[in-house]
């Protein structure tokens, strides 16, 4: 069968679930497509591609193991066909444009976390050694009151 792509060649996930419950699925094929993997289900005399929930177009999984997971968990099938004839991936299409930025933010977050933990540990060590004085509640309240008054004066 030619790869299903038109809306008449697809079956929505709700109908697939109904067929599974009725034990009407005769077989399945994990079909390689440019850029991903589709799942075709066979029932009666028909073979249709599983459609995305909202797109009503052939659903593509990026990884073959994800498509296989769908067949095993949703269709309850451990034996099925795999056709990789038309599978190919363009490496440029697979890269996410935000990967570099995401990794940079992760590195910055890790560096900040290390710095912050070191600062906290330094303060704890200083308190234990007696080099970091501890202010009493009254002293903190007096300093905050002075600061509030200074800010009010500056705002006026």
């Amino acid at each position: 069968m030619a790869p299903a792509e038109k809306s008449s060649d697809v079956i929505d996930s709700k109908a697939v679930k109904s067929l599974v419950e009725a034990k009407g699925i005769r077989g399945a094929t994990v079909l390689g497509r440019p850029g991903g993997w589709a799942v075709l289900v066979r029932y009666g005399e028909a073979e249709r591609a599983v459609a995305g929930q909202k797109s009503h177009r052939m659903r593509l999984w990026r990884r073959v193991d994800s498509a296989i997971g769908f067949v095993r968990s949703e269709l309850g099938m451990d034996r099925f066909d795999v056709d990789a004839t038309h599978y190919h991936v363009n490496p440029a299409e697979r890269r996410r444009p935000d990967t570099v930025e995401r990794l940079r933010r992760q590195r910055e977050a890790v560096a900040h976390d290390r710095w912050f933990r070191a600062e906290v540990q330094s303060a704890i060590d200083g308190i234990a050694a007696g080099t970091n004085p501890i202010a009493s509640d009254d002293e903190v309240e007096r300093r905050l009151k002075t600061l509030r008054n200074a800010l009010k004066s500056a705002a006026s």
Side-chain angles (χ1 to χ4, degrees), residues 55-96:
S55 70
H56 303 292
R57 293 177 45 210
M58 180 191 306
R59 179 176 177 187
L60 282 183
W61 285 264
R62 284 183 166 237
R63 297 173 31 173
V64 69
D65 57 328
S66 300
I68 289 170
F70 174 84
V71 172
R72 294 184 80 194
S73 65
E74 298 296 321
L75 304 182
M77 301 176 75
D78 289 325
R79 296 181 63 105
F80 48 88
D81 299 322
V82 176
D83 180 353
T85 305
H86 299 289
Y87 176 74
H88 72 276
V89 63
N90 179 349
E93 292 174 1
R94 295 292 297 223
R95 289 195 185 120
R96 293 186 51 183

Coordinates of all heavy atoms in Angstrom, one line a residue, residues 55-96:
S55 N -4.5 17.3 14.3 CA -4.1 17.6 12.9 C -5.0 16.8 11.9 O -5.1 17.2 10.8 CB -2.7 17.3 12.7 OG -2.4 15.9 12.7
H56 N -5.4 15.6 12.3 CA -6.2 14.7 11.4 C -5.3 14.4 10.1 O -5.8 14.1 9.1 CB -7.5 15.3 10.9 CG -8.4 15.6 12.1 ND1 -8.9 14.7 12.9 CD2 -8.8 16.8 12.6 CE1 -9.6 15.2 13.8 NE2 -9.6 16.5 13.7
R57 N -4.0 14.4 10.3 CA -3.0 14.0 9.4 C -2.1 12.9 10.0 O -2.1 12.8 11.2 CB -2.1 15.2 9.0 CG -2.9 16.3 8.2 CD -2.1 17.5 7.9 NE -0.8 17.2 7.3 CZ 0.3 18.0 7.5 NH1 0.2 19.1 8.2 NH2 1.4 17.6 6.9
M58 N -1.4 12.2 9.2 CA -0.6 11.1 9.6 C 0.3 11.6 10.8 O 1.0 12.6 10.7 CB 0.3 10.6 8.5 CG 1.2 9.4 8.9 SD 2.4 9.0 7.7 CE 1.4 8.7 6.3
R59 N 0.2 10.9 11.9 CA 1.1 11.2 13.0 C 2.5 10.6 12.8 O 2.6 9.5 12.4 CB 0.5 10.6 14.3 CG 1.3 10.9 15.5 CD 0.7 10.4 16.8 NE 1.5 10.6 17.9 CZ 1.3 10.2 19.1 NH1 0.2 9.5 19.4 NH2 2.2 10.4 20.1
L60 N 3.5 11.5 13.0 CA 4.9 11.0 12.9 C 5.5 11.1 14.3 O 5.5 12.1 15.0 CB 5.7 11.9 11.9 CG 5.4 11.7 10.5 CD1 6.3 12.6 9.7 CD2 5.7 10.3 10.0
W61 N 6.2 10.0 14.6 CA 7.0 9.9 15.8 C 8.5 10.2 15.3 O 8.9 9.6 14.3 CB 6.9 8.5 16.5 CG 5.7 8.3 17.2 CD1 5.5 8.4 18.5 CD2 4.4 7.8 16.7 NE1 4.2 8.1 18.9 CE2 3.5 7.7 17.8 CE3 4.0 7.5 15.4 CZ2 2.2 7.3 17.6 CZ3 2.7 7.1 15.2 CH2 1.8 7.0 16.3
R62 N 9.2 10.9 16.1 CA 10.6 11.2 15.7 C 11.5 10.0 15.8 O 12.4 9.8 15.0 CB 11.2 12.3 16.5 CG 10.7 13.7 16.1 CD 11.4 14.7 17.0 NE 11.2 16.0 16.4 CZ 12.1 16.8 16.0 NH1 13.4 16.5 16.2 NH2 11.8 18.0 15.5
R63 N 11.2 9.2 16.8 CA 12.1 8.0 17.0 C 11.3 6.7 16.9 O 10.1 6.6 17.2 CB 12.6 8.1 18.5 CG 13.5 9.3 18.7 CD 13.9 9.5 20.1 NE 14.0 8.3 20.8 CZ 14.5 8.1 22.0 NH1 14.9 9.2 22.7 NH2 14.6 7.0 22.6
V64 N 11.9 5.7 16.3 CA 11.3 4.4 16.0 C 10.8 3.8 17.3 O 9.8 3.2 17.4 CB 12.2 3.5 15.2 CG1 13.4 3.0 16.0 CG2 11.3 2.3 14.7
D65 N 11.6 3.9 18.4 CA 11.2 3.3 19.7 C 9.9 3.9 20.2 O 9.1 3.2 20.9 CB 12.3 3.3 20.7 CG 12.9 4.7 21.0 OD1 12.9 5.5 20.1 OD2 13.3 4.9 22.1
S66 N 9.7 5.2 19.9 CA 8.4 5.8 20.4 C 7.2 5.2 19.6 O 6.2 4.9 20.2 CB 8.5 7.3 20.2 OG 9.5 7.9 20.9
A67 N 7.4 5.0 18.3 CA 6.3 4.4 17.5 C 6.1 3.0 17.9 O 4.9 2.6 18.0 CB 6.7 4.5 16.0
I68 N 7.2 2.3 18.2 CA 7.0 0.9 18.6 C 6.3 0.9 20.0 O 5.5 0.0 20.2 CB 8.4 0.2 18.7 CG1 8.9 0.0 17.3 CG2 8.3 -1.1 19.5 CD1 10.3 -0.5 17.2
G69 N 6.7 1.8 20.8 CA 6.0 1.9 22.1 C 4.5 2.1 22.0 O 3.7 1.5 22.7
F70 N 4.1 2.9 21.0 CA 2.7 3.1 20.8 C 2.0 1.8 20.4 O 0.9 1.5 20.8 CB 2.5 4.2 19.7 CG 1.1 4.4 19.2 CD1 0.2 5.2 20.0 CD2 0.6 3.7 18.1 CE1 -1.1 5.4 19.6 CE2 -0.7 3.9 17.7 CZ -1.6 4.7 18.5
V71 N 2.6 1.1 19.4 CA 2.0 -0.1 18.9 C 1.9 -1.1 20.1 O 0.9 -1.8 20.2 CB 2.9 -0.8 17.8 CG1 2.4 -2.1 17.4 CG2 2.8 0.2 16.6
R72 N 2.9 -1.2 20.9 CA 2.9 -2.2 22.0 C 1.9 -1.8 23.1 O 1.1 -2.6 23.6 CB 4.3 -2.4 22.6 CG 5.2 -3.0 21.5 CD 6.6 -3.3 22.1 NE 6.4 -4.6 22.9 CZ 7.4 -5.0 23.7 NH1 8.5 -4.3 23.9 NH2 7.2 -6.1 24.4
S73 N 1.9 -0.5 23.5 CA 1.1 -0.1 24.6 C -0.4 0.2 24.2 O -1.3 -0.2 24.9 CB 1.7 1.1 25.4 OG 1.7 2.2 24.5
E74 N -0.6 0.9 23.1 CA -1.9 1.3 22.7 C -2.6 0.2 21.9 O -3.8 0.1 22.0 CB -1.8 2.6 21.9 CG -1.3 3.8 22.7 CD -2.2 4.2 23.9 OE1 -3.4 4.2 23.8 OE2 -1.6 4.5 24.9
L75 N -1.9 -0.5 21.1 CA -2.5 -1.5 20.3 C -2.4 -2.9 20.9 O -3.1 -3.8 20.5 CB -1.9 -1.5 18.8 CG -1.9 -0.2 18.0 CD1 -1.3 -0.5 16.7 CD2 -3.3 0.4 17.9
G76 N -1.6 -3.0 21.9 CA -1.4 -4.3 22.5 C -0.8 -5.4 21.7 O -1.1 -6.5 21.8
M77 N 0.1 -4.9 20.8 CA 0.7 -5.9 19.8 C 2.2 -6.0 20.1 O 2.9 -5.0 20.1 CB 0.4 -5.5 18.4 CG -1.0 -5.4 18.0 SD -1.3 -4.7 16.4 CE -0.9 -6.2 15.5
D78 N 2.7 -7.2 20.2 CA 4.1 -7.4 20.3 C 4.8 -7.8 19.0 O 6.0 -7.8 18.8 CB 4.4 -8.5 21.4 CG 4.2 -8.0 22.8 OD1 4.4 -6.8 23.0 OD2 3.7 -8.7 23.6
R79 N 3.9 -8.2 18.0 CA 4.4 -8.7 16.7 C 3.8 -7.7 15.7 O 2.6 -7.6 15.6 CB 4.1 -10.1 16.4 CG 4.8 -11.1 17.4 CD 4.4 -12.5 17.0 NE 4.9 -12.8 15.7 CZ 6.0 -13.6 15.5 NH1 6.6 -14.1 16.5 NH2 6.3 -13.9 14.2
F80 N 4.6 -7.1 14.8 CA 4.2 -6.2 13.8 C 5.3 -6.0 12.8 O 6.4 -6.5 13.0 CB 3.7 -4.9 14.4 CG 4.7 -4.3 15.4 CD1 5.8 -3.5 14.9 CD2 4.7 -4.6 16.7 CE1 6.7 -3.0 15.8 CE2 5.6 -4.1 17.6 CZ 6.6 -3.3 17.2
D81 N 5.0 -5.4 11.7 CA 6.0 -5.2 10.6 C 6.7 -3.8 10.8 O 6.1 -2.9 11.4 CB 5.3 -5.2 9.3 CG 4.6 -6.5 8.9 OD1 5.2 -7.5 9.3 OD2 3.6 -6.5 8.3
V82 N 7.9 -3.7 10.3 CA 8.6 -2.5 10.3 C 9.1 -2.3 8.9 O 9.8 -3.2 8.3 CB 9.8 -2.5 11.3 CG1 10.6 -1.2 11.2 CG2 9.3 -2.6 12.7
D83 N 8.8 -1.1 8.3 CA 9.2 -0.9 6.9 C 10.0 0.5 6.9 O 9.4 1.5 7.1 CB 8.0 -0.7 6.0 CG 8.4 -0.4 4.6 OD1 9.6 -0.2 4.3 OD2 7.5 -0.4 3.7
A84 N 11.3 0.4 6.8 CA 12.2 1.5 6.8 C 12.6 2.0 5.5 O 13.5 2.9 5.3 CB 13.4 1.2 7.7
T85 N 11.9 1.5 4.4 CA 12.3 1.9 3.0 C 12.4 3.4 2.8 O 13.3 3.9 2.2 CB 11.3 1.2 2.1 OG1 11.2 -0.2 2.3 CG2 11.7 1.5 0.6
H86 N 11.4 4.1 3.3 CA 11.3 5.5 3.0 C 11.8 6.4 4.1 O 11.6 7.6 4.1 CB 9.9 5.9 2.6 CG 9.4 5.2 1.4 ND1 9.9 5.5 0.1 CD2 8.5 4.2 1.2 CE1 9.3 4.7 -0.7 NE2 8.4 3.9 -0.1
Y87 N 12.4 5.8 5.1 CA 12.9 6.6 6.2 C 14.2 7.2 5.9 O 15.2 6.6 5.4 CB 13.1 5.7 7.5 CG 13.6 6.5 8.6 CD1 12.9 7.4 9.3 CD2 15.0 6.4 9.0 CE1 13.4 8.2 10.4 CE2 15.5 7.1 10.0 CZ 14.7 8.0 10.7 OH 15.2 8.8 11.7
H88 N 14.3 8.5 6.1 CA 15.6 9.2 6.1 C 15.4 10.5 6.9 O 14.3 11.0 7.0 CB 16.1 9.5 4.7 CG 15.3 10.6 4.0 ND1 14.2 10.3 3.3 CD2 15.5 11.9 3.8 CE1 13.7 11.4 2.8 NE2 14.5 12.4 3.1
V89 N 16.5 11.0 7.5 CA 16.4 12.2 8.3 C 17.5 13.1 7.8 O 18.6 12.8 7.5 CB 16.6 11.8 9.8 CG1 18.0 11.2 10.1 CG2 16.4 13.0 10.6
N90 N 17.1 14.4 7.7 CA 18.0 15.4 7.4 C 18.5 16.0 8.7 O 17.7 16.5 9.5 CB 17.3 16.5 6.6 CG 18.1 17.7 6.2 OD1 19.3 17.8 6.7 ND2 17.6 18.6 5.4
P91 N 19.8 15.8 9.0 CA 20.3 16.3 10.3 C 20.0 17.8 10.6 O 19.8 18.1 11.7 CB 21.8 16.1 10.2 CG 22.0 15.1 9.1 CD 20.8 15.3 8.2
A92 N 19.9 18.6 9.6 CA 19.6 20.0 9.8 C 18.2 20.2 10.3 O 17.9 21.1 11.1 CB 19.8 20.8 8.5
E93 N 17.3 19.3 9.9 CA 15.9 19.4 10.4 C 15.7 18.9 11.8 O 14.8 19.3 12.5 CB 15.0 18.6 9.4 CG 14.8 19.1 8.0 CD 14.1 18.2 7.1 OE1 13.6 17.1 7.6 OE2 13.9 18.5 6.0
R94 N 16.6 18.0 12.2 CA 16.5 17.4 13.5 C 17.0 18.3 14.7 O 16.6 18.1 15.8 CB 17.3 16.1 13.6 CG 16.8 15.0 12.7 CD 15.5 14.5 13.1 NE 15.6 13.9 14.4 CZ 15.0 12.8 14.8 NH1 14.3 12.2 13.9 NH2 15.2 12.3 16.0
R95 N 17.9 19.3 14.3 CA 18.4 20.1 15.4 C 17.3 21.2 15.8 O 16.7 21.7 15.0 CB 19.6 20.9 14.9 CG 20.8 19.9 14.7 CD 22.1 20.7 14.6 NE 23.1 19.8 14.3 CZ 23.9 19.8 13.2 NH1 23.7 20.7 12.3 NH2 24.8 18.9 13.1
R96 N 17.3 21.4 17.1 CA 16.3 22.4 17.6 C 17.1 23.7 17.6 O 18.2 23.7 18.2 CB 15.8 22.0 18.9 CG 14.9 20.7 18.8 CD 14.3 20.4 20.1 NE 13.6 21.6 20.7 CZ 13.0 21.6 21.8 NH1 13.0 20.6 22.5 NH2 12.5 22.7 22.3

